[in-house]
Amino acid sequence: QVQLVESGGGLVQAGGSLRVSCAASGRTFSNYVMGWFRQAPGKERKFVANIRWSGGSTYVTDSVKGRFTISRDNAKNTVYLQMNSLKPEDTAVYYCAASRGVSTTMPQSYDYWGQGTQVTVSS
């Protein structure tokens, strides 16, 4: 029903910036919550940020708050994660996800996932 495709990842020096995008296609719903997660090598997938399609309220995890911002363009069915002041520990595959339910940080609660985009931050 919903297909998510991430883009915009790449290699960046520490202190630099990247913006990753998540384009949603197929049926979307105004009550969806869109989330960004990341998974570093050898680690579990962890929550980064989410946003509501309707109203645009956001929640960002403490480890990236102040550096990362999440936004959306409802007309384009696209969610963005702007990443500034990147650190090597931000290196991960970044995934976008969609949930029909309440806003949550738990990966298990998200119904749709993209394939991920690699973000590598060099020192």
Side-chain angles (χ1 to χ4, degrees):
Q1 292 182 337
V2 176
Q3 185 177 6
L4 306 175
V5 180
E6 302 95 335
S7 62
L11 176 65
V12 63
Q13 294 262 323
S17 298
L18 279 176
R19 188 182 74 167
V20 291
S21 302
C22 175
S25 61
R27 182 180 295 178
T28 58
F29 299 92
S30 62
N31 66 331
Y32 272 22
V33 175
M34 304 297 296
W36 283 101
F37 293 77
R38 64 186 183 183
Q39 188 167 20
K43 303 188 70 175
E44 291 187 346
R45 193 168 300 185
K46 301 296 291 185
F47 172 82
V48 178
N50 65 18
I51 187 169
R52 301 183 189 275
W53 281 116
S54 179
S57 61
T58 64
Y59 182 80
V60 182
T61 194
D62 287 343
S63 64
V64 303
K65 196 168 188 177
R67 298 189 297 120
F68 291 11
T69 57
I70 187 170
S71 62
R72 94 294 194 200
D73 185 334
N74 285 19
K76 297 176 66 175
N77 284 340
T78 300
V79 177
Y80 305 96
L81 185 68
Q82 178 67 47
M83 301 180 288
N84 299 326
S85 301
L86 282 161
K87 305 173 181 179
E89 52 262 45
D90 296 318
T91 295
V93 176
Y94 283 72
Y95 298 90
C96 68
S99 172
R100 295 180 178 177
V102 66
S103 178
T104 177
T105 64
M106 297 183 295
Q108 307 95 301
S109 67
Y110 286 77
D111 302 295
Y112 305 100
W113 292 86
Q115 294 299 306
T117 186
Q118 176 71 49
V119 173
T120 303
V121 184
S122 65
S123 60

